[in-house]
Amino acid sequence: MAVFTRPRQAFVIAGALGLALSATACGTGGNDDTNDNAGSPECSAYEKYEGHDGKKVSIYSSIREIEADRLEQSWEQFSKCTGIEIDHEGSGEFEAQLGVRVDGGNAPDIAFIPQPGLLKRFADGGKLKAASADTKAMAEANYPADWLKYSTVNGTFYGAPLGSNVKSFVWYSPKTFKEKGWTVPQSWDDLIKLSDTIAASGTKPWCAGIESGDATGWPATDWIEDLMLRTQTPEVYDQWTSHGIPFNDPKVAEALDRAGTILKNEKYVNGGFGGVKSIATTSFQEAGVPITTGKCALHRQASFYANQWPEGTKVAEDGDVFAFYFPAIDPAKGKPVLGGGEFVAAFADRPEVQAVQTYLASGEHANSRAKIGDWVSANNKLDLANVANPIDKLSVQILQDKSSVFRFDGSDLMPAAVGAGTFWKGMVDWVNGKDTATVLQGIESSWPK
């Protein structure tokens, strides 16, 4: 990355003739090349990114509506203090359209890519630019190695993570637990004992749903991924997602059968909806709602499920619903965490693009975005005091826990024909009664040769 100098401060005003000098803390106007407020506290954090007044950087992502507004707000001060205009576009057809744009010679400067497999495809095709030394150093200082490997292809690092989500959660009602005298389980054995206790009380302990339109089946793949991390080592998980071991390996069968001790147990499921087969026709959005009416007690789903509860539901440790960490089978082996997120990858390596890419890997940006609300990041410089939402705070605590062993959502790492195809469909067949061996053999046979 180029060495940054200290020119006058400026920011771009949309609809103006281009560049207007701002009479703010980051500049005082005038036509000379001096910066009268060079030492202003508001801009001191951005000094290393200066030297790009009037330059533009385009960003393309799947982030839309209110989340896009919050994202754009998170870099406002950076833009004002550096003079770099960031033009963000969010799309509901991001994955498909990004490829079209790149192949058509109209790639964005930066894309927030949520699938490591898609990032690898662009890297292998020579489309991505390697991250600068500054970006790499910032990422290595702020993120665990477990995260950075997902944006490293053939030894080349392409960009830091941005937002994150934690999938290793079980939702419950703190109010109900208190009334019944139930305690949050700390191990898999505790979880099964709790499930048996709840079942004996006359309530189905678990509710689940994997219907999701064209993506039906994906919530069940998360179960298998979480159980792979709990029955096997992280290295075996990596072998599985990269086809280093076959999909029908006995280790995978063990994880699927372990999930079946809950999901295919008529004594345990499906509270509020019916028997085991009702899981396949229950929408993932509605699946956990029976917790609020006492028809079930437990629902395994990601942190983002906080947005699915009925209006007025209090999500908090002392609220109507909250979540606890999906416990490890052997806590002595660490805390396996399944999750997802997006990576800041660049298709251009102009100095201003590198500056934005480095800034987005920084603690300054992580804290700026967190203060706006409803956001999680694995950035270790993120101050918990800036995370207001209780489930987001718990997610950040888990991600920052030194004993956590993070692995990315397995289906997002696999070829699309498997991860978003036969794996999803196979889980529907499995819930509907097909045996483990047949299901796994079918998925294995579909892996691209």
Side-chain angles (χ1 to χ4, degrees), residues 395-429:
S395 298
V396 172
Q397 287 174 320
I398 289 173
L399 291 171
Q400 292 185 346
D401 187 333
K402 297 295 185 183
S403 67
S404 293
V405 179
F406 179 84
R407 286 298 184 270
F408 209 88
D409 179 282
S411 59
D412 282 342
L413 298 173
M414 297 171 186
V418 178
T422 55
F423 194 6
W424 289 353
K425 184 179 183 302
M427 291 302 93
V428 176
D429 293 341

Side-chain angles (χ1 to χ4, degrees), residues 240-254:
W240 172 57
T241 59
S242 62
H243 210 220
I245 59 173
F247 214 104
N248 58 347
D249 187 281
K251 298 181 180 70
V252 186
E254 179 185 347

Side-chain angles (χ1 to χ4, degrees), residues 174-243:
K175 188 181 301 182
T176 300
F177 267 46
K178 185 175 181 180
E179 290 172 358
K180 302 289 187 181
W182 300 333
T183 57
V184 170
Q186 301 300 311
S187 70
W188 177 266
D189 286 345
D190 290 344
L191 182 66
I192 298 304
K193 287 176 184 175
L194 174 63
S195 300
D196 288 337
T197 297
I198 297 170
S201 74
T203 298
K204 291 286 184 71
W206 290 87
C207 41
I210 64 172
E211 190 280 322
S212 186
D214 291 342
T216 293
W218 73 260
T221 69
D222 285 357
W223 271 88
I224 312 312
E225 291 154 7
D226 248 337
L227 268 300
M228 277 295 291
L229 285 174
R230 282 154 179 75
T231 58
Q232 308 300 327
T233 65
E235 291 73 24
V236 169
Y237 182 90
D238 296 339
Q239 291 169 359
W240 172 57
T241 59
S242 62
H243 210 220

